[in-house]
């Protein structure tokens, strides 16, 4: 039975097979969840990310989890919100789908996501939650390894938006 869960918490403490990082296209760290993941994983993560030479918006790259409890970290730059007419919806869906595809390829059973693009990148929360949950649902229908996807929300408002999307 494949499941989608919504929890409130800090994704750096989650012992999933893979956690996803809401990165930027340099993959060289930043603020928000990206900064928290780099701090908790340790400097070896920076060195591993340097080798990719960046990553286009909506694509994904995988590294070891280093000092995190997660086995892998999947890094995906979500779209910056520019009003909604610049392919933002599709790019956000790509971030979720490409991250899950990598997780499946690396035999991950459990995957945890933060709320990609709804912090510094200003994607409207309700709209982002609907896209995330719909994309995860579609992926789980054909996934061969991934069975459990958890949205790890940092605050109650974000958790409420994803619970609403799961229940709709
Ligand atoms: N665990 C789970 N969620 C968190 C954590 C955490 N430890 N810390 C923050 N969040 P953001 P974005 C939530 O801004 O909008 C970075 O500088 C946060 O409250 O981290 O995709 C990157 O380098 C919000 O709900 O990511 C990029 O430049 C969500 O994670 C840029 O920010 C996403 O907020 C990416 O912006």
């Amino acid at each position: 039975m494949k499941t989608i869960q919504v929890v409130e918490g800090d994704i750096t403490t989650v012992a999933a097979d893979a956690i996803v990082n809401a990165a930027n296209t340099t993959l060289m760290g930043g603020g928000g969840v990206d900064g928290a993941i780099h701090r908790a994983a340790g400097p070896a993560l920076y060195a591993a990310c340097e080798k990719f030479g960046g990553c286009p918006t909506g694509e994904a790259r995988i590294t070891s989890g280093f000092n995190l409890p997660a086995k892998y970290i999947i890094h995906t730059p979500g779209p910056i919100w520019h009003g909604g007419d610049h392919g933002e919806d599709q790019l956000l869906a790509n971030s979720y789908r490409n991250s899950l595809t990598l997780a499946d390829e690396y035999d991950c059973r459990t995957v945890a996501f933060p709320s990609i693009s709804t912090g510094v990148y200003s994607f409207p929360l309700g709209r982002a939650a609907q896209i995330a949950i719909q994309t995860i649902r579609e992926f789980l229908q054909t996934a061969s390894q991934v069975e459990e996807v958890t949205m790890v929300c940092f605050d109650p408002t974000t958790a409420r938006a994803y619970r609403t999307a799961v229940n709709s």
Side-chain angles (χ1 to χ4, degrees):
M1 169 73 176
K2 294 173 180 169
T3 58
I4 304 177
Q5 294 182 39
V6 179
V7 303
E8 219 180 294
D10 176 353
I11 201 165
T12 65
T13 68
V14 173
D17 293 325
I19 66 160
V20 177
N21 180 15
N24 59 58
T25 55
T26 71
L27 298 187
M28 298 315 298
V33 69
D34 194 7
I37 287 173
H38 273 268
R39 273 193 302 280
L45 175 59
Y46 186 89
C49 285
E50 209 168 16
K51 298 197 177 101
F52 293 119
C55 176
T57 301
E59 293 190 16
R61 303 286 184 265
I62 192 164
T63 65
S64 156
F66 298 100
N67 294 338
L68 293 184
K71 188 169 175 195
Y72 297 110
I73 306 167
I74 295 170
H75 308 263
T76 184
I80 301 171
W81 182 257
H82 288 298
D85 293 333
H86 296 79
E88 291 95 332
D89 291 354
Q90 198 54 52
L91 289 166
L92 186 64
N94 291 350
S95 276
Y96 281 93
R97 191 180 321 99
N98 287 324
S99 296
L100 288 164
T101 300
L102 261 183
D104 217 49
E105 281 170 16
Y106 278 75
D107 292 335
C108 296
R109 197 185 70 78
T110 57
V111 182
F113 281 92
S115 176
I116 297 169
S117 286
T118 68
V120 173
Y121 283 178
S122 301
F123 203 108
L125 179 58
R127 184 164 170 159
Q130 295 290 342
I131 291 165
I133 298 303
Q134 188 190 328
T135 306
I136 294 166
R137 274 197 181 124
E138 280 169 16
F139 186 86
L140 286 177
Q141 287 172 9
T142 56
S144 55
Q145 304 299 326
V146 177
E147 290 181 358
E148 192 181 295
V149 177
T150 304
M151 291 302 313
V152 181
C153 302
F154 208 44
D155 59 88
T157 304
T158 302
R160 203 173 310 122
Y162 283 86
R163 287 200 183 101
T164 300
V166 165
N167 293 325
S168 69

